[in-house]
Every structure is written in structure tokens, then in C-alpha cells.
Amino acid sequence: KVLGAGSGSIVRAPYALQLDARLPASDAPKRIGDLAAKGTAAYLLSNGDGTVGVYVGAFETPAQAAFLARNLQAAGLRPTLVYRTGRSL
């Protein structure tokens, strides 16, 4: 009951491309800044143990991630398709 009638829809998008699985939280601002400087908008999810996962995108199906995964690979990154877990910061 967050959206009013006709104001949008909610979709389940449990998949993401993970760039780092257990990055120390203290290293996260630099990592996010470096990615942003290269044109990659990434976000963090806390693992609850002082580390964070670095993610790009949110997808309903693995197939939806393929195009972005190829682009990230071409940019020298190593994305892994994962089911997103963790808490937002």
C-alpha cells in the first residue's frame, strides 16, 4: 500500500552483477568513486561483518543482466551474476 492507484508498479528484481563480494567497508568509498569515474554506477550492501558487497544493476531474470555483464567485462571488470543479499547502508 505504498503506491497509489495508477502511480506505478513494484517488480521483484533479485539478481545483480557483483563486482566485489567482501570488500572492507573502509575501502568502499574509494571503490565506488573509482567505478563512478569510469562511468559505472555501483551500490553497496552490507554483509553485517564489516565488509560490503559491491553491486551493479538489479534484474528480474539472469538473461536481463547479460548485456550489462558484457559491457562491464569489456571495461576490464569481472562481474558475477548473483542473487542479491545483504542490507542497504
Side-chain angles (χ1 to χ4, degrees), residues 21-86:
R22 302 196 84 70
L23 183 70
S26 60
D27 295 343
K30 181 176 180 347
R31 179 68 165 143
I32 293 295
D34 290 347
L35 290 166
K38 294 178 182 178
T40 300
Y43 59 95
L44 306 170
L45 294 177
S46 173
N47 293 320
D49 63 358
T51 67
V52 296
V54 179
Y55 299 88
V56 179
F59 309 96
E60 293 177 80
T61 67
Q64 291 176 340
F67 179 78
L68 180 56
R70 285 190 299 272
N71 286 340
L72 293 170
Q73 289 168 344
L77 298 170
R78 300 179 77 177
T80 302
L81 182 67
V82 298
Y83 193 82
R84 287 185 297 156
T85 60

